[in-house]
Amino acid sequence: MVVGEISQERNLLIIGGGPGGYSAAIRGAQLGLSITLIEQADIGGVCLNEGCIPSKIVTHAAAKRTEITHLQELGIGIPENQFDFKKLLSYKDRVINQLRSGVESLCKENKIEMIRGKVTFLATDKIGVENGHQFDIYEFQQVIIATGSTAVMPPFLIEKGERILLPHELFAIEEVPDHLIVRGSDYIALEAASSFAALGAKVSVVIENKADFPFDESVNKELSRLFKKRKIKVHKELQFISTNETKDGITMTFLTDKNVEETICGSHLFVSGTRIPNLEPLGISRFGIDLTDEGFIKVDGNMQTSLPAIYAIGDVTEGPMLAIKAIKQGKAAVASIAGQQTEVDLTFMPVVAHTIPPAVSVGLTEQSAREYGLVVRASQFALGSNGYATLSGKKDGFIKVISDATTEIIQGIHMIGEGAIELSGSFVQLLEMAAREEDLKFPLYAHPGISEGFLEAVEGMVGQAIHAAPVKEKRQSIIFK
Amino acid sequence: MVVGEISQERNLLIIGGGPGGYSAAIRGAQLGLSITLIEQADIGGVCLNEGCIPSKIVTHAAAKRTEITHLQELGIGIPENQFDFKKLLSYKDRVINQLRSGVESLCKENKIEMIRGKVTFLATDKIGVENGHQFDIYEFQQVIIATGSTAVMPPFLIEKGERILLPHELFAIEEVPDHLIVRGSDYIALEAASSFAALGAKVSVVIENKADFPFDESVNKELSRLFKKRKIKVHKELQFISTNETKDGITMTFLTDKNVEETICGSHLFVSGTRIPNLEPLGISRFGIDLTDEGFIKVDGNMQTSLPAIYAIGDVTEGPMLAIKAIKQGKAAVASIAGQQTEVDLTFMPVVAHTIPPAVSVGLTEQSAREYGLVVRASQFALGSNGYATLSGKKDGFIKVISDATTEIIQGIHMIGEGAIELSGSFVQLLEMAAREEDLKFPLYAHPGISEGFLEAVEGMVGQAIHAAPVKEKRQSIIFK
């Protein structure tokens, strides 16, 4: 190993080139900071290379594949069963390469110094970077730890063979599995189940104990209905007994909610749900950085850790392990370092699953609003009653709006249906701005359009949706409760 | 003819069952009014039966057809040239019937009395309704005129044969035209050009004098680029000399902006643009109702005309001839009749065209903001730099945001790109709520998603879009001008 003779000086180091790290780097450069970004693998991190992007390419293709019947009724002739998964894989590689080289170019254009290698902390102001036979030492004024997290196996699965897949493995799989068993109920599990079913796999979902889908109850119910319609079998309230992987498949044995022992045999098992922060290899804990009980780095509102020169963002900190959190925190960290006031508020973080159709929850669910003791107004409008959804073959699902009847301030917006991802940004904006019912009712919405369904969801709060059956007195009294 | 012996009494009559009329009827019923809705043809009016809905089915199918290349790269095998227009027509009929019978059911469920027939005013409180051999007389307390408008030929086209098509004829055409000449630059003309080109027609657009596409200049430019890419030839700044229709085709001769005489031969000519209010047959003018110079009924903020018992909404009143205006006015009219306070404000009416990809403008364009003397901040973000747009094959277009740099209040939002229709509702909400730049920058947006592009458009106002090349000093100074 060649060790750099003297330690080099840098201003702001960012360790980890995932979405949080590279967004922080670029924003930092925009704010006039001198930035060094260190990444041991590919720029873009898990999100771009193994997670969000590849999974969304698969969910997107799957959604498109379910449109075939609709395309046929439009006169666009498609032989039902032609699907070439290999082509999708090469599309995926192409898009990932393109996005990655886009980020690399942006880093260059923003004059961000890029260093490849594996980081170890040598002091609270000094790190070593190992790259093959090279070992360089850098002193820094500030550092941002943005090393992300790694998916790990749940405790009940000790041995992991080739047929047990973690998220990054599932979305890199080379063939559509014959029978995919999906373990979990989070958005990744739902996306996996929904999209691989659409791509031709038989899919079974197994969910432990009291866990359920992560949305408003009505959305969960509609998702269950659609899963059933697509022949995705969901087994809930299970207790796992054993899992056995052989050369030919996977066998899972569990206890159902009726205390009956059941067995599922599949070709593959997808395991979603557990990730641990990538901290161990950094060796930062021995310098006395404050950690939470779960082993995440503690940060304040500026993303500063208990060691003043050290900041942390993304999956190494507490909270949801999502790119959007990392990006927001990354921007906040550099803003704070650049002397600006900053604030990160995760209250209205959208919960999103690219199922078919996609589902989104922002703000309070109806259940949680009631639990908070609000006088709840809840109204949902079926997309099947919306002209544009109908003509464009997107009739499944609905938009649901929750408000506080006392103030008429919107408390939650939930949607399952085509367009939910596009609309989710608007849901967050409205909640952040404390929009009132009138703010949603007053505007003019393009006709025909999905937004009219949004309007009708709000109009429905007082029994005034145009394209919904008249509200009976009894039901009305429930709504206004 | 059988004349009803005595005149019958009614509370509120609504003449015309288009979107304005039937929305007014249903809302009126929701407010406890007793409603009679009179329609001479099909419920849903021009919009549902001949206009918005059939045209959107065609634009939707056309947009889907342009996705074929993308589907192929996703591995979904589609033979390029299979397209069956007849199938699309029967889909169109099916959807229209379904939506129409939906509206009919809603009227029934809301206990709205439905009368078929042609209305003539007999007094300011009395109408006659003719239906075949039957003629009935109704006295009313209030009436809402919602009879809409009819497309007419422009002055330079005196004779109209089968190859000259008005909007309702184009979207009911039985075969894709070989070479469609589109006259006009409004949203209907743009939709016709864009969709029939995608469905296989050769398309030429001819635009008179100084007219241009109806969006922000940047959107117009992008639309022109995409038209060119799709081989749609646009001839601007013309003066028509003559149009000649034969058995085999259409020949148009015009003078170009360079004063050169040119001729286009096509199979069909689509004429967009001129509509007149359907007032003449009502015979209302002889009762001294106030009309504008252009022949529209004058209404106040409650949609009340100069004759107190008579209200008017939609295309018979001044302003844009759009369903959204009629719907809003219809709701306002019945609210006012029911004694509620009401307000219709068309300032932030979205301008929408379902081109491929769709285009939307809400609020001030960059040009108009400058003309108003605002210190303009304008920023646009290319969808090609958005991860989700990239992976889903929707890279054309951009989102553009205009704000007043002094107050940072958003003044206009413009988009051309997939998802624009879905997002348009959010644009209107934000402008109505006088959102500031910070209101768009603070929220957390689903990653990956198109909304992130919206965020980056706003971040770009101060040179802080993450996925855009660094802003050079010179350009920055222009932005902040």
Side-chain angles (χ1 to χ4, degrees), chain B residues 87 98 264 471:
Chain B
K87 246 179 139 173
Q98 186 188 338
I264 293 187
V471 176

Side-chain angles (χ1 to χ4, degrees), chain A residues 373-396:
Chain A
L374 296 184
V375 184
V376 171
R377 267 187 195 167
S379 166
Q380 83 188 44
F381 185 78
L383 293 177
S385 298
N386 176 269
Y388 195 66
T390 300
L391 75 84
S392 54
K394 297 167 179 173
K395 293 175 69 172
D396 284 327

Side-chain angles (χ1 to χ4, degrees), chain A residues 181-302:
Chain A
I181 304 171
V182 174
R183 177 257 181 187
S185 59
D186 62 2
Y187 80 97
I188 306 180
L190 297 178
E191 291 177 356
S194 175
S195 56
F196 279 96
L199 294 176
K202 179 178 173 184
V203 173
S204 306
V205 180
V206 290
I207 303 176
E208 283 143 282
N209 307 322
K210 292 285 165 206
D212 199 357
F213 300 162
F215 300 102
D216 180 274
E217 231 171 63
S218 318
V219 174
N220 292 346
K221 215 172 126 187
E222 175 71 355
L223 204 50
S224 297
R225 185 185 75 79
L226 292 169
F227 270 24
K228 202 168 173 184
K229 191 173 143 189
R230 302 231 161 77
K231 301 190 170 50
I232 299 170
K233 183 129 176 75
V234 180
H235 307 258
K236 283 187 185 175
E237 299 189 30
L238 306 182
Q239 284 179 53
F240 289 116
I241 297 173
S242 64
T243 304
N244 185 32
E245 179 173 1
T246 67
K247 193 167 61 65
D248 302 320
I250 288 277
T251 309
M252 287 188 87
T253 308
F254 50 79
L255 220 54
T256 71
D257 55 336
K258 293 180 184 68
N259 241 2
V260 179
E261 202 173 299
E262 272 189 28
T263 296
I264 293 186
C265 302
S267 64
H268 294 79
L269 170 64
F270 169 58
V271 180
S272 156
T274 317
R275 304 186 70 87
I276 53 160
N278 295 328
L279 284 180
E280 192 56 37
L282 288 177
I284 182 68
S285 51
R286 65 200 166 104
F287 298 105
I289 200 167
D290 279 0
L291 300 180
T292 68
D293 291 345
E294 293 78 28
F296 296 96
I297 299 178
K298 274 193 191 167
V299 290
D300 65 11
N302 297 321

Side-chain angles (χ1 to χ4, degrees), chain A residues 82-393:
Chain A
Q82 278 192 22
F83 178 66
D84 182 349
F85 193 63
K86 291 266 181 293
K87 245 179 139 173
L88 176 59
L89 295 179
S90 77
Y91 176 75
K92 192 179 69 178
D93 291 343
R94 214 158 61 239
V95 169
I96 290 171
N97 285 332
Q98 185 187 339
L99 291 176
R100 191 168 49 219
S101 69
V103 175
E104 283 167 354
S105 301
L106 285 169
C107 289
K108 256 181 223 150
E109 290 168 9
N110 280 288
K111 302 192 169 38
I112 293 159
E113 180 189 27
M114 304 279 296
I115 294 176
R116 302 279 168 177
K118 209 167 153 295
V119 170
T120 322
F121 273 83
L122 306 175
T124 56
D125 63 350
K126 200 185 282 183
I127 58 163
V129 180
E130 186 188 336
N131 187 352
H133 294 294
Q134 184 75 20
F135 189 85
D136 292 306
I137 296 165
Y138 297 91
E139 280 182 77
F140 54 82
Q141 282 169 24
Q142 281 104 3
V143 70
I144 298 174
I145 300 177
T147 47
S149 63
T150 301
V152 293
M153 299 299 288
F156 74 92
L157 278 174
I158 299 151
E159 287 196 39
K160 178 188 167 320
E162 284 187 1
R163 293 183 172 277
I164 300 183
L165 307 166
L166 289 167
H168 65 280
E169 294 164 324
L170 177 69
F171 291 105
I173 200 168
E174 304 254 314
E175 275 179 17
V176 176
D178 285 335
H179 181 183
L180 182 65
I181 304 171
V182 174
R183 177 257 181 187
S185 59
D186 62 2
Y187 80 97
I188 306 180
L190 297 178
E191 291 177 356
S194 175
S195 56
F196 279 96
L199 294 176
K202 179 178 173 184
V203 173
S204 306
V205 180
V206 290
I207 303 176
E208 283 143 282
N209 307 322
K210 292 285 165 206
D212 199 357
F213 300 162
F215 300 102
D216 180 274
E217 231 171 63
S218 318
V219 174
N220 292 346
K221 215 172 126 187
E222 175 71 355
L223 204 50
S224 297
R225 185 185 75 79
L226 292 169
F227 270 24
K228 202 168 173 184
K229 191 173 143 189
R230 302 231 161 77
K231 301 190 170 50
I232 299 170
K233 183 129 176 75
V234 180
H235 307 258
K236 283 187 185 175
E237 299 189 30
L238 306 182
Q239 284 179 53
F240 289 116
I241 297 173
S242 64
T243 304
N244 185 32
E245 179 173 1
T246 67
K247 193 167 61 65
D248 302 320
I250 288 277
T251 309
M252 287 188 87
T253 308
F254 50 79
L255 220 54
T256 71
D257 55 336
K258 293 180 184 68
N259 241 2
V260 179
E261 202 173 299
E262 272 189 28
T263 296
I264 293 186
C265 302
S267 64
H268 294 79
L269 170 64
F270 169 58
V271 180
S272 156
T274 317
R275 304 186 70 87
I276 53 160
N278 295 328
L279 284 180
E280 192 56 37
L282 288 177
I284 182 68
S285 51
R286 65 200 166 104
F287 298 105
I289 200 167
D290 279 0
L291 300 180
T292 68
D293 291 345
E294 293 78 28
F296 296 96
I297 299 178
K298 274 193 191 167
V299 290
D300 65 11
N302 297 321
M303 310 301 122
Q304 202 165 16
T305 70
S306 60
L307 304 172
I310 302 182
Y311 292 71
I313 64 167
D315 291 2
V316 295
T317 70
E318 269 186 305
M321 292 169 133
L322 291 170
I324 47 173
K325 185 191 95 175
I327 295 168
K328 193 76 182 177
Q329 289 180 323
K331 290 174 179 176
V334 289
S336 160
I337 291 167
Q340 295 187 347
Q341 264 214 322
T342 187
E343 192 192 342
V344 174
D345 184 338
L346 305 181
T347 312
F348 295 120
M349 164 124 48
V351 182
V352 171
H354 290 247
T355 43
I356 303 169
V360 169
S361 272
V362 186
L364 297 184
T365 63
E366 185 176 348
Q367 303 78 48
S368 54
R370 291 194 195 286
E371 282 160 19
Y372 282 160
L374 296 184
V375 184
V376 171
R377 267 187 195 167
S379 166
Q380 83 188 44
F381 185 78
L383 293 177
S385 298
N386 176 269
Y388 195 66
T390 300
L391 75 84
S392 54

Side-chain angles (χ1 to χ4, degrees), chain B residues 443-464:
Chain B
L444 291 150
Y445 296 98
H447 175 81
I450 298 283
S451 301
E452 293 180 310
F454 195 7
L455 167 67
E456 297 212 54
V458 183
E459 289 182 325
M461 288 186 157
V462 289
Q464 290 189 359

